[in-house]
Amino acid sequence: QVQLVESGGGSVQAGGSLRLTCAASGYTYSGYCMGWFRQAPGKAREGVAHIDSTGRTSYADSVKGRFTISKDNAKNTLYLHMNSLKPEDTAMYYCAADLSSRYLGGVFAGCPSPGNWGQGTQVTVSS
């Protein structure tokens, strides 16, 4: 059974905003590290934003200050608010759940090895 389903992708002009949503079934987000990842054609999948079970967040340098990850545990819903979008943000975006969280020097550093993935939602940013 598919456990994570993304929505909210689409086409937007540079400088615009989108909000991605990831809905879960079969389990709750409260005990997991949750992350948003993206993959563009010809590039490797990269982590974009992560949130641990207590609400700590971590962002890729390329999106820090523009994207915000959040979650609503009661609704089993994960969000990615994307502002000031750039053409280089164009990619397929995936949400994922991880039983573990990574910490470096006491600082949350993301979800290291997600085991559950959604099918993805396409984000296209035009110049």
Side-chain angles (χ1 to χ4, degrees):
Q1 181 181 0
V2 176
Q3 295 179 318
L4 301 171
V5 179
E6 303 94 336
S7 62
S11 297
V12 64
Q13 293 183 341
S17 300
L18 286 172
R19 186 180 75 170
L20 306 185
T21 299
C22 177
S25 62
Y27 65 94
T28 61
Y29 287 163
S30 61
Y32 289 81
C33 185
M34 302 296 300
W36 287 98
F37 297 76
R38 67 186 182 187
Q39 187 168 27
K43 295 185 177 181
R45 179 176 290 174
E46 64 173 340
V48 176
H50 308 258
I51 185 166
D52 76 1
S53 61
T54 68
R56 299 180 180 88
T57 58
S58 179
Y59 298 92
D61 289 342
S62 59
V63 307
K64 191 173 184 178
R66 299 188 297 119
F67 292 9
T68 302
I69 187 171
S70 62
K71 63 178 180 177
D72 186 334
N73 287 334
K75 297 181 179 180
N76 284 336
T77 303
L78 179 74
Y79 304 97
L80 183 66
H81 299 259
M82 304 185 294
N83 298 316
S84 301
L85 284 162
K86 304 175 180 179
E88 49 263 47
D89 294 318
T90 296
M92 184 72 76
Y93 284 71
Y94 302 88
C95 69
D98 199 330
L99 290 173
S100 300
S101 298
R102 187 183 185 195
Y103 300 89
L104 297 175
V107 178
F108 176 53
C111 312
S113 55
N116 297 310
W117 295 83
Q119 295 298 306
T121 186
Q122 178 68 40
V123 172
T124 302
V125 184
S126 60
S127 61

